[in-house]
């Protein structure tokens, strides 16, 4: 295994909904990166990458948000965030502002947590972690079909199967994987879609959590908490017992 | 025209549990069948790339290939007509029929004639058009309801619905919903129309420039009867259906039915080249916005579409909304990107009826980047102020909050003062929609930011 010789200097990007609703995922990400030898800084005036606005097509409003993001994150070797959709926005869509060298530097140095662990740190062992449960993996659509390069192979394309999240979790003792019938069908979150197309969004979510329940999953793990927030809301409303957990929490060995 | 409210129509579709479930499962089965067929073809992804490249090449030399097609088809004895838009198409078809005293037409499936709203136009002229594709016929008998899917037009109907409809319209047994019996009843009711029709109409899946011939793919053989029984055959075809050579055809034939229905090939792949002795063959080549689309940098590749419907079958939103909810001839993902170019105001909601999950892009046999085009349409809709007011205001408020660290901290920490600065409804309304069928996440004791400030942030505050 190759470890980067000098401790990488990492700027921690805590997406707004994680900051507000799931701080424990931010903490798990921070502790995990430090355990793996990174020097982690938290740019203090960060808010949001602009994705919720830009995904609505609202470039005008996204611009100020994106500018603030760049102000906070310029100059770091690695910007790491535990959310594929936010990193996808930064890397592939953040163009509401002028594309200066500074902006380009930020956009090309942003990493989703799993890809940072898998591709950059190339770590495969998390000796402090164990997770003795039946687990289903949820890969967000963004992480499969939009993020370049993708975190895992998708069911639509003919080609070799791979999954970076599963590779990371392969050495965590106790995990018993269960497979869903429609493993990578969208769960219906879709950002503001979940609000403005509430009916379809919830129906998709109900179908997803039904599938997880039928598969006998105790936990659903994902690198994207936004999907899980929606799925968890659906499962709770239906009175289902399965639980939802971010991959950073398992890899960090959090007690849940 | 009033904007289509896809969301409201989808809610109604979902409320009918039995229909929604059948629809979702049936179309998902088609998607699974497609995956199985794909697994039989080691070079599948190469085929997709090839198909996409052939279409890109043809579209970027469209004028040349169209002229080549016209020359060769004319030499074969076919009469070629050019229609700039739907009105011109309908007028031309009407004139051809008038010249031959046509009163009844038997027609196979064509999305283009629906796009041009040809049937009502011809009805005004006293010409009756009978649909010969079983699914289209079902839709026509059901008070001219539009098709809900471009390959399986009546997929939103259960067989019990069809049994009732046929009992009402063609006197079959209302209590027998055996699909075999139903299709036989449909077939029997169509037979007299085939025999009596003065003219036959078809569309075309492919126009081949080097031969001047065209190809129609069906599973029922109805296009062949429509084209071969009556003494006059008119084919309406969009100009984007061209491919350069007969050699290119195999690439598309191998992809089409596998992508559409999960079957290796359609039952019939019929080549039409020249009129039979004593009959006439006409082709109406239709633009209707296509060359304008060809000039749109972000959207021209949507002209590669071979109308296989795979993007609909895989679309999780379409499967749970039904095709009629899109209020257009072209529903589902391809409709979402085609329609706004036709009428931005009317179809402004469609690009938002998507989670942009990208499954459509990944199944598309000609590799149209559908979900990225959806994203681009949203930019245009926002720029042209076509977002509904509530949504626009909500975004303005969100933008103000997200661009200001201080204000953002107060909002997410739930400080009450915020509601004095922003109308309550704007902050709480969205959460109401969230909470209709889902639990709202519990508020944590502290935000991450507060945690950091307390545990790590001695330098900051
Ligand atoms: S966009 Fe692609 S998948 Fe959809 S109907 Fe057209 S060719 Fe088929």
């Amino acid at each position: 295994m190759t470890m980067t010789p000098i401790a990488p200097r990492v700027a921690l990007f805590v997406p707004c909904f994680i900051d507000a609703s799931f701080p424990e995922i931010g903490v798990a990400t921070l502790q995990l990166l430090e355990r793996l030898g990174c020097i982690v800084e938290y740019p203090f005036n960060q808010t949001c990458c602009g994705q919720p606005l830009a995904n609505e097509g609202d470039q005008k409003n996204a611009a100020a948000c994106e500018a603030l993001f760049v102000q906070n994150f310029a100059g770091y070797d690695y910007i790491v965030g535990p959310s594929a959709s936010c990193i996808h926005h930064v890397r592939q869509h953040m163009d509401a502002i002028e594309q200066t060298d500074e902006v380009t530097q930020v956009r090309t140095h942003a990493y989703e947590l799993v890809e940072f662990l898998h591709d950059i740190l190339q770590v495969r062992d998390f000796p402090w972690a164990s997770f003795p449960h039946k687990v289903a993996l949820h890969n967000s659509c963004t992480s499969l079909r939009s993020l370049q390069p993708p975190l895992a192979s998708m069911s639509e394309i003919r080609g070799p199967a791979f999954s970076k999240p599963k590779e990371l979790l392969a050495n965590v003792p106790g995990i018993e994987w269960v497979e869903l019938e429609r493993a990578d069908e969208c769960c219906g979150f879709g950002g503001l879609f979940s609000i403005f197309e509430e009916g379809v969004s919830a129906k998709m979510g109900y179908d997803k959590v039904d599938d997880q329940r039928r598969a006998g999953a105790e936990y659903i793990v994902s690198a994207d908490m936004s999907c899980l927030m929606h799925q968890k809301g659906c499962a709770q409303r239906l009175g289902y017992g399965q639980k939802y957990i971010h991959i950073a929490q398992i890899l960090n060995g959090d007690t849940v | 025209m009033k904007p289509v409210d896809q969301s409201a129509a989808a809610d109604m579709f979902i409320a009918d549990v039995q229909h929604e479930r059948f629809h979702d499962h049936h179309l998902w089965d088609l998607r699974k069948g497609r995956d199985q067929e794909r697994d039989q073809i080691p070079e599948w992804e190469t085929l997709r790339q090839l198909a996409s490249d052939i279409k890109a090449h043809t579209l970027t030399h469209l004028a040349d290939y169209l002229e080549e097609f016209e020359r060769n088809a004319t030499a074969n004895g076919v009469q070629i007509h050019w229609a700039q838009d739907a009105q011109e198409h309908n007028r031309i078809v009407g004139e051809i029929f008038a010249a031959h005293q046509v009163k009844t037409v038997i027609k196979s499936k064509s999305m283009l004639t629906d796009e041009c709203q040809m049937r009502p136009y011809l009805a005004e002229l006293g010409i009756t058009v009978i649909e010969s594709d079983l699914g289209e016929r079902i839709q026509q008998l059901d008070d001219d309801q539009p098709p809900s899917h471009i390959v399986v037009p009546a997929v939103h109907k259960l067989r019990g619905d069809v049994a009732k409809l046929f009992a009402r319209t063609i006197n079959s047994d209302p209590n027998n919903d055996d699909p075999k019996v139903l299709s036989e009843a449909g077939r029997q009711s169509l037979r007299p129309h085939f025999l009596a029709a003065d003219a036959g109409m078809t569309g075309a899946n492919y126009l081949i420039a080097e031969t001047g011939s065209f190809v129609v793919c069906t599973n029922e053989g109805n296009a062949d009867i429509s084209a071969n029984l009556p003494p006059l055959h008119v084919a309406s075809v969009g100009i984007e259906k061209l491919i350069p050579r007969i050699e290119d055809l195999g690439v598309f034939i191998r992809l089409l039915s596998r992508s559409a229905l999960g079957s290796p090939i359609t039952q019939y792949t019929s080549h039409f080249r020249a009129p039979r002795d004593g009959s006439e063959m006409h082709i109406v080549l239709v633009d209707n916005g296509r060359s304008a689309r060809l000039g749109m940098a972000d959207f021209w590749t949507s002209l590669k579409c071979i109308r296989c419907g795979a993007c609909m079958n895989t679309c999780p939103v379409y499967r749970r909304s039904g095709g009629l909810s899109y209020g257009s001839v072209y529903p589902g993902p391809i409709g979402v990107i085609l329609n706004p170019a036709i009428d931005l105001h009317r179809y402004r909601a469609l690009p938002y009826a998507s989670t942009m999950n990208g499954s459509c892009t990944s199944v598309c046999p000609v590799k149209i980047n559908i979900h990225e085009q959806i994203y681009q349409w949203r930019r245009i809709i926002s720029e042209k102020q076509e977002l509904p007011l509530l949504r626009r205001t909500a975004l303005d408020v969100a933008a103000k909050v997200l661009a200001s660290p201080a204000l953002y901290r107060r909002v997410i920490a739930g400080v009450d003062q915020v509601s004095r600065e922003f109308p309550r409804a704007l902050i709480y309304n969205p959460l109401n929609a969230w909470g209709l069928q889902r639990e709202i996440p519990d508020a944590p004791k502290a935000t991450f930011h507060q945690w950091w400030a307390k545990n790590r942030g001695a330098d900051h505050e």
Side-chain angles (χ1 to χ4, degrees):
Chain A
M1 193 173 78
T2 52
M3 279 291 258
T4 322
I6 309 160
R9 189 168 153 258
V10 170
L12 177 63
F13 163 34
V14 179
C16 52
F17 69 96
I18 289 184
D19 183 20
S21 299
F22 306 98
E24 65 280 6
I25 295 169
V27 176
T29 305
L30 167 69
Q31 289 174 345
L32 179 61
L33 289 170
E34 288 180 339
R35 270 182 155 152
L36 294 168
C38 300
I39 298 170
V40 183
E41 292 178 32
Y42 171 67
F44 206 64
N45 277 329
Q46 59 177 288
T47 59
C48 163
C49 63
Q51 184 197 185
L53 304 163
N55 276 6
E56 286 287 285
D58 191 350
Q59 287 289 88
K60 217 167 79 241
N61 272 326
C65 220
E66 293 181 358
L68 179 66
F69 186 91
V70 171
Q71 233 177 61
N72 273 278
F73 287 97
Y76 287 98
D77 298 336
Y78 301 105
I79 300 158
V80 177
S83 163
S85 70
C86 307
I87 296 299
H88 167 254
H89 177 72
V90 174
R91 185 181 294 166
Q92 283 157 254
H93 279 165
M94 191 184 255
D95 60 1
I97 45 175
E98 199 197 323
Q99 300 297 294
T100 61
D101 290 350
E102 197 179 43
V103 172
T104 309
Q105 193 269 342
V106 165
R107 293 186 58 186
T108 50
H109 287 72
Y111 296 87
E112 188 280 330
L113 176 66
V114 168
E115 69 181 7
F116 183 71
L117 299 175
H118 184 279
D119 302 350
I120 305 294
L121 297 184
Q122 299 185 11
V123 55
R124 295 292 181 277
D125 294 312
F126 304 87
W128 46 79
S130 96
F131 203 68
H133 298 285
K134 286 189 173 170
V135 182
L137 177 68
H138 175 76
N139 284 318
S140 70
C141 296
T142 313
S143 75
L144 295 180
R145 305 188 194 92
S146 290
L147 187 72
Q148 286 304 327
L151 289 192
S153 51
M154 59 182 112
S155 63
E156 291 88 352
I157 300 285
R158 192 188 160 105
F162 67 97
S163 170
K164 294 178 187 180
K166 274 204 172 170
E167 266 187 72
L168 295 185
L169 292 164
N171 290 330
V172 175
I175 293 184
E176 185 189 328
W177 289 111
V178 299
E179 298 301 329
L180 303 186
E181 253 170 67
R182 300 184 183 183
D184 60 6
E185 187 188 27
C186 177
C187 71
F189 171 64
L192 290 178
F193 178 87
S194 63
I195 306 276
F196 290 111
E197 300 262 344
E198 184 270 338
V200 180
S201 172
K203 181 70 179 94
M204 288 165 69
Y206 281 17
D207 288 349
K208 177 62 77 181
V209 302
D210 273 338
D211 196 355
Q212 295 162 347
R213 188 165 128 112
R214 275 196 307 273
E218 288 169 59
Y219 277 89
I220 290 81
V221 62
S222 178
D224 267 276
M225 195 58 208
S226 49
C227 313
L228 294 193
M229 170 171 75
H230 160 73
Q231 292 170 27
K232 185 178 171 187
C234 292
Q236 282 180 337
R237 178 60 59 90
L238 292 172
Y240 294 174
Q242 65 248 36
K243 301 190 193 93
Y244 295 83
I245 188 166
H246 192 274
I247 192 169
Q249 295 170 282
I250 297 186
L251 295 177
N252 191 45
D254 286 6
T255 43
V256 287
Chain B
M1 270 216 258
K2 243 181 95 203
V4 172
D5 190 346
Q6 197 276 341
S7 180
D11 287 350
M12 276 169 57
F13 187 77
I14 290 170
D16 184 340
V17 177
Q18 209 192 355
H19 278 84
E20 187 278 337
R21 197 182 145 78
F22 168 80
H23 190 256
D24 171 52
H25 284 244
H26 180 59
L27 292 170
W28 183 255
D29 282 345
L30 294 183
R31 160 68 207 279
K32 281 198 297 197
R34 172 256 178 215
D35 290 357
Q36 277 157 16
E37 283 300 324
R38 170 207 61 192
D39 289 342
Q40 306 299 312
I41 313 277
E43 67 275 28
W44 181 259
E45 300 303 333
T46 312
L47 274 182
R48 287 176 71 221
Q49 189 59 49
L50 210 51
S52 181
D53 291 347
I54 293 169
K55 282 287 184 181
H57 167 83
T58 317
L59 288 166
T60 46
H61 300 77
L62 192 57
D64 297 337
Y65 282 122
L66 280 169
E67 284 173 2
E68 186 185 343
F69 177 82
E70 181 182 36
R71 267 197 315 278
N72 291 329
T74 308
N76 295 339
V78 180
Q79 299 180 46
I80 301 291
H81 310 261
W82 299 90
Q84 181 131 40
D85 53 25
Q87 289 73 25
E88 195 173 4
H89 164 266
N90 293 346
R91 184 174 56 69
I92 291 170
V93 173
E95 283 169 8
I96 299 172
F97 287 158
H100 291 77
Q101 286 95 44
V102 168
K103 285 288 156 219
T104 59
V105 178
I106 186 90
K107 175 180 155 296
S108 73
K109 212 156 90 48
S110 150
M111 297 311 298
L112 180 64
T113 52
D114 285 342
E115 178 185 324
C116 296
Q117 301 195 316
M118 182 194 75
R119 250 168 36 206
Y121 174 87
L122 292 180
E124 293 268 305
L125 302 181
I127 300 169
T128 309
V129 178
I130 304 287
E131 298 289 345
S132 62
D133 173 275
L134 187 59
E136 288 281 354
R137 181 64 180 154
I138 290 170
Q139 291 307 94
Q140 182 177 31
L141 288 173
D142 195 2
D143 300 324
D144 289 314
Q145 192 181 55
S148 76
H149 186 292
I150 62 176
V151 175
V152 269
V155 68
H156 60 294
K157 286 188 164 72
L158 300 172
R159 55 193 199 188
D161 302 335
V162 178
K164 269 190 228 133
L165 174 69
F166 276 8
R168 173 160 68 82
T169 52
I170 58 172
N171 281 323
S172 67
D173 176 359
N175 298 313
N176 194 339
D177 64 359
D178 178 347
K180 274 208 196 91
V181 173
L182 290 173
S183 32
E184 190 51 32
R187 218 171 273 146
Q188 290 304 336
S189 84
L190 274 173
R191 196 143 298 169
H193 295 297
F194 276 120
L195 295 172
D198 305 317
M201 275 195 90
T202 67
N205 294 82
Y206 310 99
L207 300 169
I208 300 163
E210 76 172 350
T211 56
S213 60
F214 63 97
V215 175
V216 183
C217 304
T218 71
N219 281 311
E220 298 167 23
N222 56 312
D224 303 82
I225 311 183
S226 304
N228 286 318
L229 273 183
L232 173 64
H233 176 188
V234 178
S236 293
V237 193
I239 54 174
E240 84 283 16
K241 298 281 177 183
L242 264 182
I243 55 174
R245 303 164 304 180
I246 192 95
E247 187 185 326
D248 303 320
L249 184 65
V251 173
F252 294 95
I253 297 296
R254 293 184 76 196
L255 286 166
L256 179 66
S257 194
R258 288 191 168 91
S259 300
L261 299 168
S263 67
I265 194 166
T266 46
Q267 300 289 333
Y268 299 85
T269 301
S270 308
H271 294 246
F272 295 96
R273 189 186 180 99
R276 300 184 314 276
D277 283 344
S279 75
E280 279 184 25
M281 187 183 281
H282 296 251
I283 301 174
V284 189
L285 294 168
V286 185
D287 185 319
N288 204 33
R290 285 161 177 74
S291 48
R293 187 183 299 271
L294 196 52
M296 301 171 128
D298 291 328
F299 304 115
W300 70 275
T301 55
S302 59
L303 289 166
K304 293 179 181 179
C305 176
I306 57 171
R307 307 281 190 263
C308 72
C311 57
M312 294 166 202
N313 302 346
T314 202
C315 178
V317 176
Y318 172 87
R319 272 186 274 110
R320 292 171 180 85
S321 309
L324 299 178
S325 69
Y326 294 79
S328 135
V329 176
Y330 300 105
I334 183 63
V336 165
I337 61 172
L338 289 181
N339 292 316
I342 297 165
D343 186 339
L344 191 71
H345 180 65
R346 179 162 163 71
Y347 297 114
R348 66 185 193 178
L350 296 193
Y352 295 89
S354 163
T355 58
M356 297 194 288
N357 63 78
S359 187
C360 46
T361 299
S362 304
V363 296
C364 177
V366 288
K367 299 187 80 163
I368 301 169
N369 59 338
I370 304 172
H371 72 302
E372 287 165 11
Q373 294 194 27
I374 293 174
Y375 184 77
Q376 292 302 332
W377 275 118
R378 290 184 179 190
R379 288 187 173 183
I380 291 173
I381 287 159
S382 169
E383 230 171 71
K384 300 251 149 92
Q385 303 275 313
E386 283 287 355
L387 270 179
L389 184 65
L390 175 72
R391 202 155 174 159
R392 234 187 299 156
T393 322
L395 289 171
D396 288 344
V397 171
K400 243 194 217 146
V401 173
L402 293 174
S404 154
L407 191 52
Y408 165 80
R409 304 280 164 237
R410 299 217 307 276
V411 172
I412 69 165
V415 174
D416 237 347
Q417 178 195 355
V418 171
S419 52
R420 258 176 266 136
E421 283 167 50
F422 297 112
R424 237 183 134 70
L426 274 180
I427 295 172
Y428 292 102
N429 255 347
L431 283 180
N432 288 344
W434 177 278
L436 287 176
Q437 301 185 69
R438 283 165 294 211
E439 296 302 316
I440 297 169
D442 297 329
K445 280 202 266 324
T447 65
F448 177 83
H449 195 84
Q450 289 165 334
W451 179 92
W452 177 279
K454 188 163 161 228
N455 294 284
R456 302 289 185 90
D459 309 342
H460 290 292
E461 281 186 347

